[in-house]
Amino acid sequence: MNHNYVKIEKPNNLKTKRYIIDNVLPEMVFDSISSFVMGSNIFWNLIMGTVNEGESDDWRFTNAVYHSKSGFTSNKFSQFSPIFDLLHVQNLITVKLNCDIYTRTPEQREFHTDNVLYSDFSFTSILYFNDCNGKTIFKDGTEIESKRNRMIIFNSHQEHAGVSQTDVPRRYLMNINFQSTEIPMGKEF
């Protein structure tokens, strides 16, 4: 797939920009990665507190793929290289997989930022692996539905929150925090 990219020469212009890209990866590539994530290859860890571990009574399953501060790199890291290539990552900060379990009523998590490196060149990207009525919301009220092969990209200083799904047993996504001087452009939201 060919994507247009925005060069970040004047980063302040991107602080409030957010992009959404549907069908972000070629279908064969996406199918391979999503089958891997939603199959039996991932060992999920139960984390109490969806935003800050241990600080709330909600929970989710996660799998760390990369963490720059601790020096951790998963042996599954290379499986996700098409995603990192697409993002033109210059410096990875954290990469993790989330698996949220069905709730009877939608539950909004806390608003948060994923990373403390709030530079103009720091971005958060979320790639959704399956369709469901779970969503990501922003402080301004914008809601993004979880849709397979959909990616959102925004400056890491923007607060966001997850909302649990009620229609499927699990919601799978990848959260990537990175630095770059060029990011893929999609439709602004």
Side-chain angles (χ1 to χ4, degrees):
M1 304 204 110
N2 292 328
H3 294 284
N4 293 322
Y5 287 80
V6 58
K7 286 228 181 264
I8 305 165
E9 295 166 356
K10 297 179 181 175
N12 286 332
N13 295 341
L14 286 178
K15 278 203 161 186
T16 58
K17 299 231 189 257
R18 301 177 298 211
Y19 297 104
I20 185 169
I21 307 169
D22 286 328
N23 301 312
V24 66
L25 294 171
E27 197 63 30
M28 269 182 40
V29 173
F30 179 79
D31 284 346
S32 173
I33 295 171
S34 65
S35 293
F36 181 78
V37 169
M38 297 190 300
S40 59
N41 299 299
I42 302 293
F43 295 104
W44 296 99
N45 301 298
L46 175 64
I47 302 296
M48 298 306 294
T50 56
V51 175
N52 295 309
E53 190 172 340
E55 288 188 11
S56 64
D57 60 358
D58 60 357
W59 55 276
R60 72 165 28 128
F61 291 100
T62 69
N63 181 278
V65 175
Y66 180 82
H67 194 279
S68 63
K69 189 173 181 180
S70 70
F72 175 77
T73 303
S74 166
N75 61 356
K76 313 268 193 271
F77 181 87
S78 63
Q79 181 74 25
F80 305 106
S81 61
I83 300 166
F84 309 139
D85 292 345
L86 167 83
L87 290 171
H88 288 200
V89 169
Q90 291 178 317
N91 180 37
L92 272 176
I93 300 166
T94 59
V95 180
K96 73 173 182 158
L97 297 167
N98 291 341
C99 175
D100 291 327
I101 304 302
Y102 157 93
T103 57
R104 289 183 184 175
T105 59
E107 295 178 9
Q108 180 183 323
R109 310 305 185 201
E110 295 175 41
F111 279 104
H112 64 281
T113 58
D114 294 330
N115 138 33
V116 296
L117 295 174
Y118 300 128
S119 86
D120 294 335
F121 300 97
S122 296
F123 298 92
T124 298
S125 174
I126 300 173
L127 174 63
Y128 303 99
F129 290 106
N130 62 322
D131 293 335
C132 68
N133 66 1
K135 50 187 90 160
T136 301
I137 61 173
F138 291 84
K139 279 252 176 151
D140 67 1
T142 301
E143 298 182 356
I144 302 297
E145 292 181 15
S146 296
K147 183 178 174 189
R148 72 182 303 276
N149 205 7
R150 169 178 280 174
M151 179 179 279
I152 59 174
I153 305 166
F154 50 94
N155 190 283
S156 293
H157 83 280
Q158 294 189 34
E159 289 187 82
H160 60 284
V163 177
S164 63
Q165 79 283 1
T166 61
D167 60 338
V168 297
R170 288 172 288 285
R171 174 183 183 227
Y172 294 94
L173 61 90
M174 175 177 265
N175 179 288
I176 306 165
N177 292 283
F178 65 102
Q179 293 177 315
S180 183
T181 57
E182 183 175 76
I183 59 169
M185 276 186 1
K187 180 181 171 192
E188 282 188 46
F189 68 92

